[in-house]
Amino acid sequence: MSEAKNDGTIAITVEFSGGLEMLFSNERKLSLTIPGKDENGAKTNIAFLVRHLCNTVMKDPRKELFVLDDTVRPGILVLINDADWELEGEDKYEIEEGDNILFVSTLHGG
Amino acid sequence: MAPSLCAQCKTNRALILRPKDHTKLCRACFLTTFETEIHHTITATSLFTRGERIAIGASGGKDSTVLASVLKTLNERYDYGLDLILLSIDEGIKGYRDDSLETVKRNAEQYGMDLCILGYDELYGWTMDQVVDQVGKKGNCTYCGVFRRQALDRGAARLGVKHVVTGHNADDVAETVLMNLLRGDLPRLSRTTSIVTSTPSLTAGPASNTNIKRSKPLKYAYEKEIVLYAHHKNLDYFSTECIYSPEAFRGSARALIKNLERVRPSAILDVVRSGEDMAKLVPGSDEGCGGVCSSSVPAGEEEEGGCGSANGRSAGGEMASMEQQLSQNETAAENGLEVEITPSTSSKIKKTAAPLPLTVGKSRKVPKAGHASRREPKKQVMGQCKKCGYLSSQEICKACVLLEGLNKNRPKNHIEVGYEQEKEIDGVAEAVKELDIGAG
C-alpha cells in the first residue's frame, strides 16, 4: 500500500461533497495521480495535496472558498479514509497509495 | 500516526473526534451517541407529547435531513408515539429549490413519511423568481424571509399540525447569539436561544395558523457532527447555495464561529450556553413568561433568517438577514434616525436614500393611528393582520404590506429592473407548473 510507484507517483481518490463540488466543476469524485514527493523532496502530505488541487485541478477562481491562510478553510471537514484528519495529523498526514481523501463543506445550506 | 481505538467500545478504529470533548469514537458508537444526545435534549425539555403530530421543516439540506432521520430513529427506538410529517416550502427559485425538493421527495420515501410541499406562488401569488424580476436582487431576501416565516405556519395549519421542528443547530444558535451581541440586542437573546418558540394567538380557532409551536431539537448538535452523521449514515442530502444570495455563506459571524471552532472546538457550545445564561439576566426577557408574552413574531423572524435558509436552515441565512438588518440600522443611523428599525418606525425612514425594500409601500400603507403606542420595540401589542389574520403587531402584517407593494407593481426604489419582467415571468410560470405537478 505505502510504496510509491516506479515513476514516483501515487494514485489516490479525492472526493468533494457538501457543496464543495461546485468549486470543482461539479465533480464529486476524482482519481488523481500525484507526485510522491513535494517541492522539497519530502513525502507528499495533505498540505501539498491542497496546494496541488488549488493550482492544477480547481478551475473556479474563488480559491478562498477552499483555502484560507494556507490551509483548508475552517468549516470544511477533511476525512482521510473516512477518519477525521484531526486524528491523522491534519495537513501533515503523509499520503499513501490508494488513499481516499474526502473534503466536505459544512458551510453550504439546503 | 498509529490509528487510535474508539473510546467507548475500545474495539473499533476511531474515525470521529468529537468537537465538544475531544472523545474519539468509531462509526457505530458515534451514530449511537449522537442519537442518544438528541434523545436527551428532547426528554430533558419535554419537547414532545405522545400522539403529537409533528411537521419537520424539510429543505433537503443536511440539517433537516439529519433531523428527519434521527427523529424517525428515536420515535421508533424510544416509542415517542409521534406522527412525523415532512413540510417543505418552495420559494419558487428555478435551479435552486427544485433539486433540493427532489431530495425531500426521496427522503419522504426513504423514511416512510408524508410530504407536503407548499409554494410561495400558492400562498402569496408570487414566486421568488417573479419577486426578483420586480424588485431586483438587492433586498429580495427580505421578501423571502418574511414570506417563509409565515409559510411554515400556514403549511402546518393546513396539515392540522401544531408543532413544527426545524434543523437549527448549535453553530446557528452560536452565530445568532454573537450577532445579537454585536447589535447590542440582548432582549432578543432569549428568543433566539430558547429551544421552543411559539406564536400565541388571540383567537386560537381550529384553523388558526398563529399558534404554532416551533422547536429546534438539534440546538446542541454541532454542525460538524451533523455533517459527519449524514456522511457515516449515508444520508441523501442536497447542498446548494441560493442563486440570489451567493455571498450569504461568507458571513462574518459564521466565519468567526468556524475560526473559533478550529482553535477551541468547545467554543460553539460555550457561546450557546453563554447566550442562554445572558438571556436569563435580561430584564423583561421572555424567560420570565415562558417565552410567549413578548414579540414572538420577531423571534421567528430572527431565527428563520432570510435567504438560503429555507425551512431547514442553511449556512448564512440567519447571517444574511442580520447583516441586512445591520446595514439597515447603519443607514438609519447615518440619517440621524432611530437605530432600531421595526415596522413601527418605518414611516420615519421613508426618505432614506438607500433602497430599503421594507419601506417600499409600507411607508405609505401603515395607518397613522396608534403610531405612538407602537414605538416601543420590546412591548409589542400582538393583534391580527386585518388582511390575512396572521399574528402581527401591526394592523397589516409584513407579508401583506410587501405583497401590496408587489401587487401594485410599484417597486418605488427598484424601477430600473421593470423592463425585463415580462419575458422572464413566462419562463418562471412554466417552471412553477412543473414543480406543482411534482408537489402533489
Side-chain angles (χ1 to χ4, degrees):
Chain A
M1 278 282 282
S2 62
E3 282 310 303
K5 292 199 195 76
N6 290 337
D7 62 355
T9 60
I10 43 181
I12 57 167
T13 307
V14 176
E15 292 186 77
F16 305 101
S17 77
L20 211 53
E21 63 274 18
M22 285 182 257
L23 296 179
F24 291 88
S25 318
N26 283 313
E27 295 278 358
R28 297 184 70 98
K29 194 168 187 173
L30 300 174
S31 294
L32 291 184
T33 304
I34 57 168
K37 297 263 162 61
D38 70 7
E39 305 90 332
N40 303 317
K43 271 196 84 179
T44 293
N45 59 17
I46 297 286
F48 174 84
L49 173 67
V50 168
R51 282 199 301 279
H52 178 78
L53 288 171
C54 263
N55 296 335
T56 63
V57 180
M58 191 175 178
K59 304 267 190 322
D60 197 296
R62 297 173 295 172
K63 311 282 183 209
E64 76 281 2
L65 297 186
F66 181 51
V67 171
L68 217 55
D69 299 328
D70 290 328
T71 186
V72 178
R73 184 190 171 95
I76 294 174
L77 309 180
V78 186
L79 301 189
I80 301 166
N81 300 324
D82 246 7
D84 192 326
W85 75 332
E86 290 176 67
L87 295 168
E88 304 285 339
E90 302 196 23
D91 62 5
K92 290 177 188 60
Y93 170 83
E94 292 176 350
I95 299 176
E96 301 190 6
E97 173 81 16
D99 274 352
N100 179 298
I101 319 285
L102 167 65
F103 297 92
V104 199
S105 174
T106 67
L107 300 167
H108 288 75
Chain B
M1 203 179 275
S4 23
L5 288 180
C6 172
Q8 253 174 44
C9 65
K10 302 194 167 51
T11 321
N12 299 324
R13 181 179 168 219
L15 295 180
I16 289 100
L17 181 68
R18 301 203 69 195
K20 65 190 275 188
D21 56 9
H22 293 273
T23 317
K24 297 171 182 176
L25 295 179
C26 70
R27 180 191 326 247
C29 290
F30 165 70
L31 294 179
T32 313
T33 304
F34 183 87
E35 289 157 0
T36 306
E37 288 186 0
I38 308 298
H39 172 63
H40 285 153
T41 303
I42 289 168
T43 50
T45 55
S46 306
L47 209 53
F48 304 131
T49 53
R50 193 168 182 82
E52 205 176 1
R53 278 191 104 196
I54 310 276
I56 301 167
S59 66
K62 58 188 189 308
D63 301 296
S64 57
T65 302
V66 166
L67 179 62
S69 171
V70 169
L71 284 186
K72 178 187 164 62
T73 303
L74 295 179
N75 193 31
E76 288 165 3
R77 182 180 301 160
Y78 297 101
D79 191 24
Y80 290 165
L82 300 178
D83 183 8
L84 299 168
I85 310 162
L86 296 172
L87 172 60
S88 291
I89 304 303
D90 181 2
E91 299 90 343
I93 303 176
K94 187 73 184 155
Y96 164 61
R97 185 53 75 204
D98 31 10
D99 289 336
S100 46
L101 285 178
E102 288 306 315
T103 310
V104 180
K105 287 176 199 167
R106 284 197 302 275
N107 288 341
E109 279 183 29
Q110 289 154 0
Y111 304 151
M113 294 179 192
D114 286 337
L115 165 65
C116 168
I117 301 177
L118 206 53
Y120 278 9
D121 54 339
E122 194 183 335
L123 283 172
Y124 306 108
W126 288 79
T127 66
M128 274 312 292
D129 284 334
Q130 290 168 322
V131 171
V132 170
D133 277 337
Q134 176 130 327
V135 307
K137 288 195 179 185
K138 274 190 183 170
N140 76 83
C141 297
T142 305
Y143 289 80
C144 200
V146 169
F147 288 169
R148 186 182 302 113
R149 222 158 292 148
Q150 295 192 2
L152 275 180
D153 285 354
R154 289 175 193 276
R158 188 171 293 201
L159 293 168
V161 171
K162 294 285 178 204
H163 188 167
V164 178
V165 290
T166 55
H168 293 87
N169 58 43
D171 296 52
D172 299 331
V173 177
E175 195 180 302
T176 314
V177 168
L178 278 186
M179 287 307 293
N180 283 321
L181 282 181
L182 296 177
R183 287 193 318 182
D185 194 352
L186 286 179
R188 223 179 270 267
L189 268 181
S190 65
R191 305 196 291 264
T192 52
T193 55
S194 170
I195 191 162
V196 175
T197 51
S198 58
T199 320
S201 175
L202 290 177
T203 54
S208 169
N209 56 21
T210 57
N211 53 350
I212 309 282
K213 180 176 164 186
R214 289 277 186 97
S215 67
K216 13 183 201 276
L218 301 183
K219 180 192 166 189
Y220 297 112
Y222 274 75
E223 191 156 59
K224 173 179 172 179
E225 295 203 345
I226 288 172
V227 170
L228 289 177
Y229 185 88
H231 171 75
H232 288 297
K233 227 186 160 193
N234 274 320
L235 297 184
D236 183 5
Y237 72 94
F238 190 80
S239 313
T240 187
E241 206 181 308
C242 178
I243 53 173
Y244 294 135
S245 179
E247 308 282 289
F249 77 95
R250 278 189 278 178
S252 46
R254 188 152 199 86
L256 179 56
I257 287 283
K258 294 297 181 194
N259 284 321
L260 283 173
E261 181 183 26
R262 181 141 313 169
V263 180
R264 201 171 72 93
S266 67
I268 291 180
L269 270 188
D270 292 340
V271 170
V272 172
R273 299 205 191 274
S274 299
E276 291 172 345
D277 289 345
M278 279 186 284
K280 287 180 195 147
L281 301 173
V282 178
S285 76
D286 291 351
E287 286 290 312
C289 59
V292 290
C293 65
S294 70
S295 45
S296 292
V297 165
E301 222 168 275
E302 205 60 49
E303 48 179 7
E304 254 49 74
C307 34
S309 84
N311 20 1
R313 93 109 251 152
S314 69
E318 293 170 21
M319 261 303 301
S321 74
M322 287 196 207
E323 279 184 344
Q324 207 173 2
Q325 286 179 32
L326 275 173
S327 72
Q328 287 176 348
N329 290 353
E330 278 161 22
T331 313
E334 280 166 21
N335 287 278
L337 300 169
E338 293 180 22
V339 169
E340 171 85 34
I341 298 186
T342 63
S344 57
T345 59
S346 61
S347 62
K348 295 197 112 191
I349 55 169
K350 62 185 166 191
K351 293 196 181 76
T352 303
L356 298 181
L358 260 175
T359 68
V360 173
K362 173 168 288 185
S363 51
R364 268 122 224 275
K365 293 302 145 210
V366 175
K368 290 196 178 86
H371 182 259
S373 65
R374 284 197 235 105
R375 299 229 10 221
E376 295 168 3
K378 265 176 65 183
K379 300 212 169 168
Q380 290 176 317
V381 181
M382 301 314 274
Q384 278 183 294
C385 171
K386 287 192 171 166
K387 289 196 125 177
C388 70
Y390 194 80
L391 187 89
S392 174
S393 59
Q394 307 293 304
E395 289 191 32
I396 309 290
C397 75
K398 273 189 191 176
C400 286
V401 170
L402 291 176
L403 276 174
E404 194 165 339
L406 285 171
N407 290 336
K408 287 200 170 160
N409 200 1
R410 201 177 52 178
K412 267 198 70 169
N413 294 312
H414 306 287
I415 294 162
E416 69 280 0
V417 296
Y419 71 97
E420 272 192 339
Q421 240 164 263
E422 290 193 46
K423 66 173 180 198
E424 289 296 325
I425 282 177
D426 287 338
V428 168
E430 274 179 41
V432 169
K433 268 181 213 154
E434 282 172 34
L435 281 179
D436 277 352
I437 294 166

